[in-house]
Amino acid sequence: MNVHFVFSVLLFLALASQLVSAPPPSAHNVRGTVFTNGSTQVPNGFPVRVNNTVLNVSVLTFTNGPPPSPGSYSVSVNGSDGDNITVVSWNSTHYGINRTILSKTTTTLHVLLNISRQETNVSLNMSNDSVVNISSAFNFTANVSVIGGDASGCAASLSINGSSVILAASESFVHQLGSIPSGQHVLTSWNLSANLTGSVNITVNSSCSSDSVNFDAVNSRTAYNITVRDPFPPVIFQELPVNTSWLSSRNITLSFNVSDESGISNCSLYINGTINQSSFSVQGSVTQNFTLNSTPDGDFNWLVECFDNSTSFNRNVSSNISFHVDATGPNVTLFAPANSTASISNLLNFTFNSTDWNNITNCSLVMNGRIEAINSSIVQNMVTNFTVLLFPRQYYWYVNCSDNLSNVGQSEVRNLSVLDPDFFVNSSAVNLSNALPVEGELVQINFTVRNLGGEDASGVVISVYEDYALGVFISNSTVDISANSEVSLVVNWTAKTGLFNFTFVADPPVVSNGSVNESNESNNIGNRSLFLSSYVVYYGFAVLDIVLSAQNGSFIRHWLNKSNSSGNIYAAGTLTKGPVSWGSLQALGLSSDNSRSAGDWASADVLLNMSNYTDSLNSSYTFGSDPRNVSAFSIFSSVIQNVSVVNSTNTSFFLTGILWDTSDSVDGSYDVVDSEDLVFVSSINRGRQGFYGVYDYEIRVPAGLRRYRNSTSESVQFYIELN
């Protein structure tokens, strides 16, 4: 019971103490003495800072004691009893610090300067309110010295509070100063440029890695109100028209170029001393234009006045340049031929006259937008003629004349027809007797040549080419074609593998427009393309009959068409180096040691005469010297890996791969020199849908395989392996 009573009393007292307000901070006297060592006092005037760390308030005073106590100080600091205080004093090389708490009465706290001092001191070469001219480059220099002992790891950094002054392109904001011995200084300069008109403050901050407490705050200096001014007026250059120019246009562009470092506020055009127009969106150092519209004939002077964007609003005025306007052309009257004339003669006379208040320098006959003739000896108001030999076609024509100011006057436009044949080869009307022939088949090519012109033509040569660009010729024919009629022709061609663009040429050679004048020489050529694959596809059923017989040939047992058998179909040339060594076959693209041989397909194309074909082995089987697809084949109980394959036709059920016989090789690699046997292989895949129907195999064999190794054979050898 007593314990509870005591606890209640204590709790009551604690609560009561919380209700009593703490007294407000008040002035407390702090005094003491500053020593340079244990007994020597500092002289009068040494700084002393007293800091109440609880209230974060400080008071700066100085030692001012009378002899024999010059190092004494006394100061009043705001606080409460028991607040923590620190007292700091310093000289040029050392500082001291001491701590205690505020007493109810005077607090005494002495300071001993026993800690080495280290901080930097900065001075600047540029004073406040300095002025620099725009675009000028100048150095901003800082003098960095050390207060205290030797300093190390020192640096100075520059900052600018605006864009009127900028750092040079090769300059950096921070300069490394290294070590600075006590009592010495380092000068460092920044390359600056006056960029825009206006004012900035430029500050340099210095520090060293060895810095201690910063007492005097002299490590940073600022040059205030550095002003960039622009005292220069804009520079104006008038480009066009040049002085005393004669102009033949009523819409005149006056071009000028103006430059100023502060940019351009506005420019105005003056014509004959009066302002004509102004622009407030002028770009400096590029061509600017003022345009005069509907300018009457006469004499004019022009100048340009510009103001820059600087605070001085500098002004400049260009020279006064003159120009003259004459925009009236000669008057031209046509006499012959009359409008809509139809002529069967190719030689015609065109007559006209022209007048102008100034001299006429020349007149031109213009036909279908092209100048056909020019006369530079024109006598005004006299009949003049042009005699011109024309090709047969429709023309529109007129005469224009120019005076000595290049003003052009044009006559009316008239129409004229000159009649002649016009041969047309219709590419869409070319027909082949078989659009999908096989190699060696005779193909008939039927085509039509029309005469779209108004005149008959006789003895017209028609040439047919297998390859027009290379000059591979098929045949020539000579025909007569009446006006507005056509003739049909047939030529024979023996089919070959490859891509062919048959070309039909009426009235060759077209480069010189042939031997017959036509109203249109551009439609004399027709074309028809034909692509004959370099491959022959073989397909069918693999039938396996197994016959068991005795050694003397007598019949023992016979199984017909073993339908579940598998195996491969092989194709090779007839002129082989020897019997195919089935155990020595290797994938094309691999040497006998299985190392990569990227040139094999190109070598095979050479031996098969397929190098220039768009569907060559190299193009069909590879991409970037690597096989497009590879597969494995089981051949005579051995598996050959990485065989390059393609679809035999349009389905992946049947693939054709390429092998080569390594037993034919001297160096273990397939090449043109050894011309090893090539073997094309396709696996039997029974009852699958192919391009030509449902069957068991489909193999894609180059047509040139029959003549592999310069064979004269017209056939290839097939082999079948059934398992």
Side-chain angles (χ1 to χ4, degrees):
M1 187 69 177
N2 291 335
V3 172
H4 289 289
F5 174 76
V6 172
F7 176 77
S8 299
V9 172
L10 291 174
L11 178 61
F12 173 79
L13 292 173
L15 293 173
S17 67
Q18 292 180 9
L19 296 175
V20 178
S21 299
S26 60
H28 285 65
N29 188 42
V30 179
R31 67 181 182 181
T33 304
V34 179
F35 298 91
T36 59
N37 53 41
S39 60
T40 304
Q41 297 184 22
V42 301
N44 284 339
F46 267 55
V48 179
R49 180 178 289 118
V50 180
N51 182 33
N52 184 330
T53 61
V54 176
L55 299 182
N56 196 24
V57 295
S58 63
V59 178
L60 178 65
T61 187
F62 297 89
T63 57
N64 59 354
S69 300
S72 62
Y73 71 93
S74 178
V75 68
S76 179
V77 63
N78 211 28
S80 300
D81 296 346
D83 284 356
N84 293 319
I85 64 169
T86 61
V87 178
V88 180
S89 182
W90 63 93
N91 61 15
S92 62
T93 59
H94 291 78
Y95 72 96
I97 185 169
N98 206 352
R99 299 174 178 86
T100 189
I101 61 174
L102 285 177
S103 302
K104 292 183 178 180
T105 58
T106 298
T107 303
T108 300
L109 189 60
H110 303 302
V111 178
L112 176 62
L113 305 185
N114 61 348
I115 304 172
S116 295
R117 180 184 173 191
Q118 170 62 65
E119 61 183 279
T120 56
N121 182 20
V122 176
S123 61
L124 305 176
N125 73 322
M126 183 169 282
S127 58
N128 296 338
D129 303 317
S130 295
V131 177
V132 293
N133 288 336
I134 193 167
S135 297
S136 64
F138 63 96
N139 290 332
F140 191 84
T141 302
N143 186 333
V144 182
S145 59
V146 177
I147 299 175
D150 296 343
S152 61
C154 299
S157 63
L158 181 87
S159 61
I160 307 170
N161 74 335
S163 59
S164 292
V165 174
I166 59 175
L167 207 63
S170 60
E171 187 59 88
S172 60
F173 283 101
V174 178
H175 286 187
Q176 300 299 326
L177 307 179
S179 298
I180 304 177
S182 176
Q184 297 188 22
H185 63 87
V186 173
L187 293 177
T188 185
S189 297
W190 287 265
N191 295 318
L192 304 182
S193 176
N195 182 46
L196 300 170
T197 57
S199 297
V200 297
N201 299 329
I202 305 175
T203 301
V204 174
N205 286 287
S206 64
S207 63
C208 301
S209 60
S210 58
D211 284 350
S212 59
V213 181
N214 190 334
F215 293 103
D216 296 325
V218 292
N219 66 316
S220 177
R221 290 280 191 259
T222 299
Y224 293 96
N225 193 33
I226 306 303
T227 300
V228 178
R229 67 171 185 174
D230 181 0
F232 310 111
V235 177
I236 305 172
F237 173 71
Q238 292 161 278
E239 295 178 348
L240 292 173
V242 297
N243 198 27
T244 68
S245 292
W246 284 87
L247 306 178
S248 60
S249 173
R250 300 197 183 279
N251 298 323
I252 301 170
T253 299
L254 305 173
S255 301
F256 67 99
N257 187 307
V258 59
S259 60
D260 191 275
E261 296 296 340
S262 298
I264 304 302
S265 172
N266 64 81
C267 290
S268 299
L269 171 68
Y270 286 78
I271 299 294
N272 292 343
T274 302
I275 189 169
N276 179 272
Q277 55 189 286
S278 298
S279 174
F280 291 86
S281 57
V282 179
Q283 297 184 40
S285 301
V286 296
T287 297
Q288 304 291 303
N289 298 319
F290 286 118
T291 302
L292 301 178
N293 295 314
S294 303
T295 308
D297 291 353
D299 301 325
F300 301 91
N301 294 310
W302 72 290
L303 62 82
V304 176
E305 174 190 50
C306 293
F307 293 87
D308 68 13
N309 270 324
S310 70
T311 54
S312 304
F313 206 49
N314 299 307
R315 170 185 177 269
N316 201 4
V317 177
S318 71
S319 303
N320 210 10
I321 288 181
S322 67
F323 64 90
H324 314 279
V325 177
D326 178 3
T328 304
N331 180 58
V332 183
T333 303
L334 301 181
F335 297 122
N339 194 30
S340 301
T341 295
S343 173
I344 60 173
S345 172
N346 296 89
L347 189 65
L348 286 93
N349 287 322
F350 298 84
T351 58
F352 66 96
N353 78 359
S354 58
T355 58
D356 192 82
W357 67 275
N358 221 322
N359 292 329
I360 299 176
T361 57
N362 63 78
C363 292
S364 301
L365 173 65
V366 181
M367 309 196 71
N368 292 350
R370 174 184 168 185
I371 296 176
E372 289 291 338
I374 299 176
N375 189 333
S376 299
S377 302
I378 301 297
V379 179
Q380 291 198 49
N381 217 16
M382 287 187 62
V383 175
T384 306
N385 75 286
F386 293 106
T387 301
V388 182
L389 180 65
L390 298 175
F391 291 105
R393 65 188 58 168
Q394 294 288 328
Y395 294 93
Y396 66 89
W397 68 279
Y398 58 87
V399 174
N400 63 30
C401 296
S402 301
D403 62 18
N404 59 354
L405 299 180
S406 298
N407 296 308
V408 178
Q410 179 180 308
S411 70
E412 64 175 306
V413 179
R414 292 185 177 181
N415 294 314
L416 170 68
S417 299
V418 178
L419 303 179
D420 256 344
D422 175 19
F423 306 130
F424 170 65
V425 180
N426 188 0
S427 298
S428 62
V430 178
N431 296 302
L432 306 179
S433 59
N434 185 358
L436 295 172
V438 297
E439 185 180 15
E441 179 181 344
L442 188 66
V443 179
Q444 288 187 333
I445 306 173
N446 298 271
F447 64 99
T448 299
V449 180
R450 297 176 183 174
N451 181 358
L452 304 177
E455 185 179 357
D456 297 342
S458 59
V460 181
V461 176
I462 311 297
S463 298
V464 182
Y465 292 86
E466 179 183 285
D467 190 319
Y468 186 56
L470 298 178
V472 181
F473 179 75
I474 296 178
S475 69
N476 265 343
S477 302
T478 302
V479 296
D480 298 333
I481 312 176
S482 301
N484 299 308
S485 64
E486 64 183 30
V487 295
S488 296
L489 298 101
V490 178
V491 295
N492 295 323
W493 176 74
T494 302
K496 295 177 282 188
T497 57
L499 176 63
F500 300 93
N501 184 29
F502 300 113
T503 304
F504 313 91
V505 183
D507 190 28
V510 293
V511 293
S512 59
N513 294 331
S515 58
V516 180
N517 290 328
E518 299 179 59
S519 57
N520 183 1
E521 297 280 2
S522 65
N523 57 353
N524 289 28
I525 296 180
N527 302 93
R528 172 66 186 268
S529 296
L530 173 66
F531 177 72
L532 187 58
S533 175
S534 305
Y535 301 86
V536 179
V537 177
Y538 298 91
Y539 62 93
F541 297 94
V543 178
L544 173 61
D545 290 348
I546 301 177
V547 178
L548 205 61
S549 63
Q551 187 174 2
N552 60 5
S554 60
F555 174 78
I556 299 177
R557 186 70 182 271
H558 187 194
W559 293 269
L560 293 176
N561 192 14
K562 189 173 181 299
S563 61
N564 63 347
S565 61
S566 62
N568 301 312
I569 299 293
Y570 304 93
T574 56
L575 187 61
T576 59
K577 280 195 166 184
V580 175
S581 177
W582 302 103
S584 301
L585 295 181
Q586 171 65 297
L588 192 69
L590 295 176
S591 299
S592 59
D593 61 358
N594 287 321
S595 61
R596 187 171 178 269
S597 181
D600 286 5
W601 294 274
S603 297
D605 281 332
V606 172
L607 293 169
L608 292 168
N609 292 317
M610 294 177 64
S611 298
N612 296 323
Y613 292 170
T614 58
D615 57 351
S616 66
L617 296 182
N618 203 24
S619 299
S620 301
Y621 279 81
T622 69
F623 181 80
S625 300
D626 292 320
R628 294 179 183 270
N629 296 287
V630 295
S631 185
F633 288 87
S634 178
I635 298 176
F636 287 88
S637 301
S638 296
V639 176
I640 300 179
Q641 302 284 351
N642 298 313
V643 179
S644 61
V645 295
V646 296
N647 292 346
S648 298
T649 54
N650 64 338
T651 173
S652 59
F653 287 136
F654 300 106
L655 304 176
T656 300
I658 312 176
L659 307 171
W660 67 284
D661 192 343
T662 62
S663 67
D664 297 335
S665 179
V666 174
D667 55 5
S669 297
Y670 179 81
D671 53 38
V672 174
V673 176
D674 293 337
S675 59
E676 296 87 348
D677 288 333
L678 286 178
V679 178
F680 289 78
V681 59
S682 182
S683 296
I684 295 173
N685 198 0
R686 292 187 177 275
R688 293 294 188 178
Q689 178 68 49
F691 183 77
Y692 301 100
V694 177
Y695 33 74
D696 298 339
Y697 71 88
E698 189 180 73
I699 185 170
R700 183 174 184 249
V701 181
L705 186 61
R706 70 188 190 277
R707 295 178 181 172
Y708 186 71
R709 204 181 290 109
N710 297 319
S711 170
T712 58
S713 172
E714 292 297 322
S715 61
V716 296
Q717 299 183 95
F718 283 91
Y719 304 88
I720 185 169
E721 175 191 2
L722 294 174
N723 302 318

